[in-house]
């Protein structure tokens, strides 16, 4: 089993947007909202250790259907949710997203698909320095898991934040954590990730 090394890591916070998180929004995920404090711990810890923070934003359009199979599964998305140019695609205030952070706009569950994420990871800390992706956010069983599998296929080590991901149910959460542990990476607690960030910052100063 590989070791978690923060000096070659990046933190990816998946789809923590207002339309996914806030009460009454079209794609509300209560578990994701409840875990904002845990996610904020990771964001703050990453910043303090010099680990890049990347936010994804799932974006749909009114002018045409950019994700037709997604909207076929959930027809609500034909008319509302994560619309370009609306506050629904904004990252929730509780995570303190900043201009100096990095942002990836996507139209599929997998944050690597037709986005700049892989190029960003291969350059953000120097040429191919990042080999580990810490994944937090929502939905655990959809975009987080799809992105984790895609990262694994690209030979990135996957550190999946079990306490800082939010699913639609505890059953779905457990199923994804089991799949990641068995096949695609390591499920780590916040304490393990934060300790890794601290150790990495200490090592970088030597």
């Amino acid at each position: 089993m590989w070791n978690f090394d923060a000096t070659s890591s990046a933190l990816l916070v998946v789809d923590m947007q207002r339309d996914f998180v806030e009460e009454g929004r079209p794609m509300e995920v209560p578990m994701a909202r409840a875990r904002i404090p845990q996610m904020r711990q990771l964001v703050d810890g990453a910043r303090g250790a010099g680990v890049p923070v990347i936010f994804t934003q799932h974006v749909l359009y009114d002018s045409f259907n950019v994700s037709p199979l997604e909207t076929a599964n959930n027809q609500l998305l034909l008319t509302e949710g994560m619309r370009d140019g609306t506050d629904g695609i904004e990252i929730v205030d509780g995570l303190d997203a900043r201009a100096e952070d990095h942002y990836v706009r996507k139209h599929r569950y997998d944050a690597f698909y037709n986005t700049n994420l892989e190029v960003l990871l291969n350059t953000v800390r120097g040429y191919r320095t990042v080999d580990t992706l810490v994944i937090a956010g929502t939905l655990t069983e959809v975009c987080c898991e799809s992105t984790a599998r895609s990262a694994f296929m690209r030979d990135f080590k996957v550190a999946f934040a079990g306490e800082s991901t939010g699913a639609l149910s505890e059953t779905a959460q457990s199923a994804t954590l089991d799949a990641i542990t068995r096949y695609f990476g390591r499920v780590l607690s916040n304490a393990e990730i934060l300790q890794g960030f601290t150790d990495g910052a200490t090592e970088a100063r030597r």
Side-chain angles (χ1 to χ4, degrees), residues 97-176:
R98 301 178 184 177
E100 61 264 31
D101 297 325
H102 305 276
Y103 298 85
V104 173
R105 288 165 62 101
K106 65 186 184 66
H107 310 298
R108 296 293 185 272
Y109 301 146
D110 173 6
F112 284 92
Y113 185 80
N114 279 347
T115 74
N116 66 332
L117 178 57
E118 189 166 9
V119 170
L120 180 60
L121 292 174
N122 283 336
T123 56
V124 71
R125 301 193 76 169
Y127 182 57
R128 293 187 177 172
T129 297
V130 172
D131 66 6
T132 304
L133 192 59
V134 181
I135 296 178
T138 198
L139 277 164
T140 303
E141 69 272 36
V142 185
C143 294
C144 294
E145 182 172 341
S146 296
T147 300
R149 289 173 181 245
S150 193
F152 175 84
M153 302 304 177
R154 289 168 168 81
D155 293 320
F156 288 99
K157 302 169 188 175
V158 174
F160 203 86
E163 297 172 320
S164 293
T165 46
L168 282 176
S169 69
E170 291 292 348
T171 299
Q173 182 80 9
S174 296
T176 290

Side-chain angles (χ1 to χ4, degrees), residues 57-89:
Q57 295 170 286
H58 197 73
V59 179
L60 302 177
Y61 302 117
D62 283 326
S63 56
F64 71 100
N65 189 355
V66 71
S67 189
L69 296 182
E70 179 184 10
T71 57
N73 287 333
N74 184 350
Q75 295 194 0
L76 173 68
L77 295 177
L78 287 168
T79 56
E80 59 182 308
M82 292 88 71
R83 265 17 194 210
D84 187 40
T86 72
D87 67 1
I89 67 170

Side-chain angles (χ1 to χ4, degrees), residues 4 6 11-13 34-46 95 134-137 159-166 173 177 186-199:
F4 173 51
L11 172 64
L12 185 70
V13 182
R35 294 187 173 186
I36 288 174
Q38 291 92 322
M39 296 181 202
R40 177 65 181 271
Q41 282 185 330
L42 297 187
V43 170
D44 290 345
L95 293 181
V134 181
I135 296 178
F160 203 86
E163 297 172 320
S164 293
T165 46
Q173 182 80 9
L177 299 188
R186 294 181 60 190
V187 174
L188 300 179
S189 67
N190 266 30
E192 290 172 310
I193 295 169
L194 292 169
Q195 186 61 56
F197 287 165
T198 300
D199 292 346

